[in-house]
Amino acid sequence: MARLNLWRWGVLGLAGLYFLVPLAASVVFTVDVPGQGITFDAYTQIFSTAGFVSSLLLSLELALATIAVVLLLMVPAMVALRLGAPRLRPVVEVVCSLPLVVPPIAFVAGIGTVLKWGPDHLSRTPLFETFVAIQNPDFPFVLVLAYVVMALPFVYRALDAGLRAVDVRTLVEAARSCGAGWPQALVRAVLPNLRGALLNASFLTLALVLGEFTVAQLLGFQPFAVWIVNVSGSQAQLSVAVSVLSLLVTWVLLLVLAGFGGRTRTASRG
């Protein structure tokens, strides 16, 4: 038993070094300026740098829209799949896992080809305005559609784990026997028991949107991840400082989510 604990702590220590050593090196790079010593100018300049606030707000707006769309699509589909067509589960699982197989560069190449159909083939149809609207630089909804597809594997796994932990059929039948319609049964009986799964899916989607670079860069938009790369060409320390700050914020959100999920489970048991 002692040997097992020693092995466990050794693995945890190596994992901690694997994550903390690069982070520490990044922090040292941002605060240690040759000839000046230790300075925190890279961190104090973040909020005043051109494009920081606008790109961060754009990424957060895209993340919120992506979370809303992907949950509105997946939650009813997963509940219906579990209640009415459990044999289709392998098919849905394969379809939702396809974004992990298709490289992002191939995915964005396909999106670009479809977007070119607008001026080439649809210029005299009402759909042309739709193609223009979803590419609005102020809020490129085409990125939301792309991120929804990319988030499908993570959202599917999170929701599937949550649905496995509750008896959905009993909850729905109980709500229906009390006179609730299908939407009411879903909102009032199923969703409260999927709070942890919904939070996990939302957090994974948020992390994906904040860190995604390839699709946004190749489509010509500048959310937060693209802004960091563009700044790194002229202000390397500033870009690394922003990356460290965003990583710390992500960790804090993960800890808050874990704590909130723990309190939710405790309250449910109570």
Side-chain angles (χ1 to χ4, degrees):
M1 188 67 178
R3 183 177 300 178
L4 180 61
N5 290 333
L6 182 62
W7 173 255
R8 182 183 302 170
W9 282 109
V11 172
L12 290 176
L14 290 176
L17 290 175
Y18 179 81
F19 288 105
L20 293 178
V21 169
L23 179 61
S26 300
V27 173
V28 171
F29 175 76
T30 58
V31 300
D32 186 13
V33 179
Q36 299 182 15
I38 303 299
T39 177
F40 293 93
D41 291 342
Y43 292 93
T44 58
Q45 294 174 1
I46 290 177
F47 297 100
S48 60
T49 304
F52 170 77
V53 176
S54 60
S55 62
L56 180 59
L57 290 178
L58 177 59
S59 290
L60 292 177
E61 291 172 358
L62 293 172
L64 291 176
T66 303
I67 292 171
V69 173
V70 74
L71 291 182
L72 286 175
L73 288 175
M74 290 299 297
V75 171
M78 294 290 292
V79 173
L81 182 69
R82 194 166 188 84
L83 292 177
R87 294 184 179 180
L88 293 179
R89 182 179 176 275
V91 178
V92 177
E93 183 176 2
V94 170
V95 172
C96 291
S97 300
L98 285 178
L100 297 176
V101 181
V102 180
I105 190 68
F107 180 54
V108 72
I111 295 176
T113 301
V114 173
L115 292 178
K116 291 179 181 178
W117 291 352
D120 292 342
H121 305 286
L122 303 174
S123 58
R124 297 183 180 180
T125 65
L127 288 177
F128 178 73
E129 297 297 331
T130 302
F131 273 71
V132 174
I134 64 174
Q135 299 179 69
N136 185 358
D138 295 333
F139 185 78
F141 193 75
V142 64
L143 289 183
V144 175
L145 300 178
Y147 294 156
V148 167
V149 175
M150 298 174 67
L152 283 179
F154 312 107
V155 175
Y156 174 83
R157 291 298 180 185
L159 295 180
D160 184 62
L163 288 171
R164 286 175 178 271
V166 298
D167 190 349
V168 180
R169 186 177 298 277
T170 300
L171 291 173
V172 173
E173 290 178 353
R176 294 282 291 169
S177 64
C178 293
W182 283 105
Q184 289 180 322
L186 178 63
V187 173
R188 296 187 178 182
V190 178
L191 291 186
N193 291 277
L194 294 179
R195 185 178 301 175
L198 295 174
L199 289 174
N200 291 334
S202 300
F203 178 80
L204 292 172
T205 305
L206 174 65
L208 183 146
V209 175
L210 290 180
E212 200 287 320
F213 170 79
T214 304
V215 175
Q217 171 68 17
L218 294 180
L219 291 180
F221 303 108
Q222 192 179 32
F224 190 56
V226 178
W227 177 83
I228 292 177
V229 175
N230 292 338
V231 170
S232 65
S234 57
Q235 304 180 57
Q237 283 187 320
L238 178 63
S239 66
V240 176
V242 173
S243 300
V244 172
L245 183 62
S246 63
L247 181 61
L248 293 177
V249 171
T250 303
W251 283 1
V252 170
L253 290 175
L254 180 59
L255 292 175
V256 171
L257 178 63
F260 184 76
R263 288 195 298 270
T264 301
R265 288 191 294 270
T266 303
S268 299
R269 294 193 186 104

